[in-house]
Amino acid sequence: MRALVVVTGLGLVTPLGTTAEETWNGFLEGRSGIRKIDIFDSDRYPSSRGGVVDRTALPQGTRHDPATLLVLKAAEEAIRQAGPLPERTALVLGSTLGSMPAATEYVRGGCARAGLLREMLAQTQARIVCDRFGLRGESLVISDACASGTNALGYALRLLRSGNADAVVAGGYDPMAEFSFAGFHSLQAITSKECRPFDRDRSGLLLGEGAAILVLERENGKTPLARLAGYGESADAYHITRPDPEARGAILALRRALKDAGLEPGDIDHVNAHGTGTPSNDAMEAKAIREVLGNVPLTANKAAIGHTLGGAGAIEAAVTVLSLRDQVIPPTLHHENLDEACAGIDVVSRRRDCRMQAAVSNSFGFGGSNAAVVLTTP
Amino acid sequence: MNVWITGIATVSKERTLESRQARRMARVSRFAMAAAGEALRDADRKPDPDMGIVCASTHLSTQYALEFHQGFLNEGKPTPGPILFSNGCLNAAGSHISLEYGLTGCNRNLVGGMNVGIHALGVAARLLEDGPCSAILCVACEEISEILAGAYRKFRLAPPMTLGEGAAAVLLEKENRGRGVRIGAFHTAHGPDIRHDVEGRTIAQALEAVGPAELYSACANGTELDEMEKRAVETVLPGVPTFRVKDSLGEGFAFTSLAQVTGAIASNPGTIVACSYDRTGDVSAVRLG
């Protein structure tokens, strides 16, 4: 029989707050963490807004870059909640670009400070987390674009089931970086208005920054927050940046996650959607959810905090854990009118209390990486 | 582990690719694509949709990342080319391979230090054992660019590091089709900064965890780390001959980590232990055969 894997600790740093409870309350209250970006000259761009974390609430007086501070803060909260960890505790992080602001600083400074290039590497953030918390198991960084965080949780689940780790500190992060801001502008994916997932007036995404860390362990007597019951992944093999409009890869990942969890579509009570607010991604995701799960209540967190890239999957999985804990679905900010292309899904636009036992969190990254996790009440 | 390496490839020079995508790819992705194709040919296996890709790199395309930066920093273009951006992201090489061969099993991209090639091999083997893929291509790739070479010059390593570039690839299958090499054991862990581990304990633990060997494929990168590796090998694998790829390939980070496996398999049919480590304290070791 397979080992049951549970969430024993959780940490969140987002534009809505620098703890899990602050963030959760922000989502429930329908607050927005979107504001003008002032950490670089955003006025040069068609849109200058995004989700930026209150940097004054991050640890001060260190030489660490913002990416490291985000992930350290989230890890500290999660590990404190989980309590003592066994010796073979692994670290699995997801990040799209590591600490790209350090690379930008390197180039801006005429490539003089080579140490910045080392700081940029995602493995540097992993090393700092391992050394800070004394983690001596496997240390891995997954970079599957926007599916990185979810795939990190999926790999962690496998490590625990196979006995290759006794606990895993897993999650994702990405800082707001001018590199990705310019990049998503160049892809014409960023809206100059609000991010409105699944809405007929949606016109693109807004970027954000943040981190989420979950401590995962085999069931061991600690009081769990939720159970990580299943994981599925797939690749589109369709286009280097565009999702497959037929949603074949997304459908496959969802079906694999359900099968892995030993659940039927009718068992799923809620979906925390990838919901970027771009026309093509939302239509694709709606098709996948409709086809696999039917008309399940769903929410999309990116409208409130922006798209946190490598952090997104882990943040949304963490929010799903809190939804299951409190039996409430937070609203999808700015969603008013369901788009026809997304018909047949139930987008929660006002906070909804409901009984839930199982929920799915989806992530789809460009390059065609699809991932879904199934979380259940303990 | 019930996983076999059925095809290998080591590519350290640019090849002409037939793929239309290749024109826009960063050099590192072209290396990766060439190695993936050669590993499939070596295994005499056609790609199928249930196959997956696991791709590792330490820096991926620093050249494309630099050019994209120059676009918005120096030239003042708020939206420089989308091709530079999408190809400068860390999952570009794996995604191109998935796209080229229609691989939908998984598209897993790993970043890490000098051990990440062997680490990727272990991750790929685990994914194949536990997951839905019919086979997995595992690729590790690196490119040298002016910005990367300049940065490593500034690190003033003693003795200086000779950089290398290219890609290594292996095809992993669940069954041996005649001439495969079995992955016997895999171990990876994070230890203290390797420069402070004078006895090479983390490396020794990794070697002990994967077991005995007839040939040792060394990380031996010609920097100050070698003495620790030597001590660990003398303790755990005394008298076992050592094989080095970096003498001929240079320090290719992720690439040369996996090339320790492809090179050793190509030269020796016996039991091989390959071990890679990074200054961050990450160590990965695998036993083959």
Side-chain angles (χ1 to χ4, degrees):
Chain A
M1 201 174 119
R2 279 197 317 200
L4 297 176
V5 173
V6 292
V7 181
T8 57
L10 185 156
L12 273 168
V13 180
T14 73
L16 288 175
T18 51
T19 66
E21 292 309 319
E22 278 176 26
T23 294
W24 179 230
N25 289 332
F27 278 124
L28 290 181
E29 290 160 10
R31 282 198 279 119
S32 172
I34 304 298
R35 61 181 171 87
K36 183 173 173 359
I37 298 167
D38 56 8
I39 52 177
F40 52 80
D41 180 11
S42 62
D43 284 331
R44 299 194 301 125
Y45 295 87
S47 166
S48 60
R49 298 188 318 136
V52 182
V53 167
D54 174 11
R55 303 255 174 122
T56 63
L58 298 178
Q60 304 292 309
T62 72
R63 290 187 303 137
H64 295 319
D65 61 291
T68 305
L69 293 177
L70 289 172
V71 73
L72 275 176
K73 181 83 167 69
E76 186 183 27
E77 183 182 17
I79 291 170
R80 194 173 55 236
Q81 184 175 25
L85 294 174
E87 192 179 324
R88 262 191 341 144
T89 297
L91 176 74
V92 185
L93 293 177
S95 178
T96 295
L97 292 165
S99 180
M100 194 51 88
T104 305
E105 211 45 51
Y106 179 64
V107 178
R108 201 193 300 272
C111 301
R113 289 174 56 204
L116 284 167
L117 208 61
R118 197 171 267 160
E119 259 180 48
M120 174 200 90
L121 302 173
Q123 59 266 32
T124 301
Q125 284 99 61
R127 174 185 63 79
I128 291 168
V129 173
C130 281
D131 291 347
R132 169 72 66 89
F133 299 104
L135 311 181
R136 289 290 177 256
E138 179 169 354
S139 170
L140 183 69
V141 182
I142 291 172
S143 190
D144 292 338
C146 313
S148 304
T150 306
N151 280 331
L153 298 178
Y155 186 69
L157 178 64
R158 284 182 162 141
L159 281 181
L160 288 163
R161 281 179 179 164
S162 61
N164 285 307
D166 295 327
V168 186
V169 174
Y173 68 96
D174 260 313
M176 179 64 77
E178 188 165 0
F179 183 89
S180 41
F181 197 70
F184 278 89
H185 266 106
S186 73
L187 294 170
Q188 299 183 323
I190 293 188
T191 181
S192 56
K193 301 173 185 165
E194 299 293 355
C195 171
R196 298 174 182 277
F198 305 106
D199 193 282
R200 71 179 175 209
D201 295 324
R202 71 189 184 282
S203 53
L205 58 83
L206 290 168
L207 285 181
E209 66 176 356
I213 294 291
L214 284 76
V215 177
L216 301 168
E217 300 183 65
R218 286 186 290 275
E219 231 170 17
N220 57 7
K222 286 184 184 174
T223 306
L225 293 160
R227 182 172 292 163
L228 181 55
Y231 162 69
E233 67 177 320
S234 72
D236 276 356
Y238 177 77
H239 190 268
I240 196 71
T241 53
R242 286 200 302 270
D244 174 5
E246 296 303 316
R248 283 170 286 223
I251 289 167
L252 186 58
L254 269 169
R255 288 197 170 131
R256 283 176 171 170
L258 286 180
K259 186 179 174 196
D260 188 50
L263 295 177
E264 297 295 324
D267 296 325
I268 301 300
D269 303 305
H270 165 51
V271 175
N272 191 311
H274 189 57
T276 57
T278 59
S280 56
N281 188 85
D282 285 2
M284 179 281 293
E285 184 172 15
K287 185 178 174 68
I289 292 170
R290 204 165 49 226
E291 184 152 335
V292 179
L293 301 172
N295 195 5
V296 181
L298 70 84
T299 190
N301 302 148
K302 291 181 178 75
I305 61 171
H307 192 337
T308 56
L309 305 179
I315 289 172
E316 289 151 16
V319 171
T320 308
V321 168
L322 297 171
S323 279
L324 289 166
R325 182 193 70 179
D326 294 352
Q327 301 283 292
V328 55
I329 300 172
T332 305
L333 219 57
H334 309 302
H335 178 85
E336 290 167 6
N337 303 295
L338 186 64
D339 185 17
E340 264 182 33
C342 305
I345 58 168
D346 174 13
V347 182
V348 173
S349 56
R350 292 211 164 92
R351 172 190 160 129
R352 188 185 296 178
D353 296 288
C354 55
R355 287 177 64 84
M356 293 177 277
Q357 287 189 316
V360 167
S361 177
N362 287 334
S363 293
F364 310 111
F366 74 49
S369 290
N370 309 298
V373 285
V374 178
L375 291 144
T376 67
T377 52
Chain B
M1 298 176 105
N2 210 21
V3 173
W4 301 77
I5 294 175
T6 58
I8 58 170
T10 311
V11 171
S12 58
K13 284 184 182 153
E14 281 218 57
R15 308 275 164 90
T16 304
L17 296 170
E18 288 173 11
S19 165
R20 285 175 59 202
Q21 297 177 70
R23 285 175 298 156
R24 296 172 161 191
M25 283 181 203
R27 272 183 41 253
V28 65
S29 295
R30 293 205 297 268
F31 282 131
M33 184 83 95
E38 285 196 22
L40 283 168
R41 280 192 291 279
D42 186 53
D44 194 20
R45 174 151 177 174
K46 289 203 168 86
D48 71 74
D50 291 332
M51 244 183 224
I53 168 79
V54 172
C55 187
S57 184
T58 300
H59 308 94
L60 208 85
S61 182
T62 45
Q63 183 59 37
Y64 270 34
L66 174 66
E67 287 176 25
F68 190 77
H69 267 110
Q70 286 169 333
F72 69 81
L73 288 177
N74 304 344
E75 295 163 27
K77 294 178 196 163
T79 57
I83 289 166
L84 287 176
F85 176 64
S86 56
N87 281 282
C89 287
L90 296 168
N91 66 334
S95 300
H96 278 300
I97 292 168
S98 161
L99 199 53
E100 175 71 14
Y101 295 110
L103 313 182
T104 64
C106 69
N107 174 13
R108 174 64 20 77
N109 298 273
L110 309 177
V111 288
M114 292 177 186
N115 67 311
V116 75
I118 290 179
H119 198 164
L121 179 63
V123 168
R126 286 172 178 168
L127 293 181
L128 185 59
E129 263 196 329
D130 302 343
C133 296
S134 59
I136 293 185
L137 264 170
C138 177
V139 180
C141 51
E142 218 64 55
E143 72 176 26
I144 299 177
S145 65
E146 203 178 316
I147 188 172
L148 189 72
Y152 276 87
R153 268 197 302 274
K154 290 191 181 80
F155 290 144
R156 291 187 185 151
L157 300 171
M161 189 185 274
T162 304
L163 295 181
E165 65 177 1
V170 299
L171 181 69
L172 300 179
E173 298 190 65
K174 289 175 187 167
E175 287 173 9
N176 183 18
R177 291 184 294 113
R179 57 188 194 92
V181 177
R182 188 173 186 167
I183 298 184
F186 167 70
H187 175 86
T188 186
H190 176 80
D193 186 321
I194 213 100
R195 291 167 303 176
H196 303 148
D197 187 6
V198 287
E199 297 301 321
R201 283 197 189 111
T202 313
I203 299 169
Q205 282 165 4
L207 299 182
E208 275 165 7
V210 296
E214 295 163 37
L215 179 74
Y216 175 69
S217 182
C219 185
N221 53 24
T223 69
E224 76 275 19
L225 307 179
D226 284 359
E227 280 304 312
M228 293 152 209
E229 183 176 18
K230 204 187 285 178
R231 276 192 207 108
V233 176
E234 280 167 359
T235 308
V236 184
L237 302 172
V240 172
T242 298
F243 173 86
R244 295 162 58 121
V245 294
K246 290 179 190 171
D247 290 343
S248 50
L249 297 176
E251 176 54 78
F253 306 95
F255 157 48
T256 37
S257 174
L258 189 59
Q260 285 176 235
V261 170
T262 55
I265 289 175
S267 68
N268 187 294
T271 312
I272 302 159
V273 161
C275 177
S276 285
Y277 48 90
D278 188 73
R279 67 186 289 277
T280 57
D282 290 337
V283 178
S284 300
V286 63
R287 190 182 78 242
L288 308 161

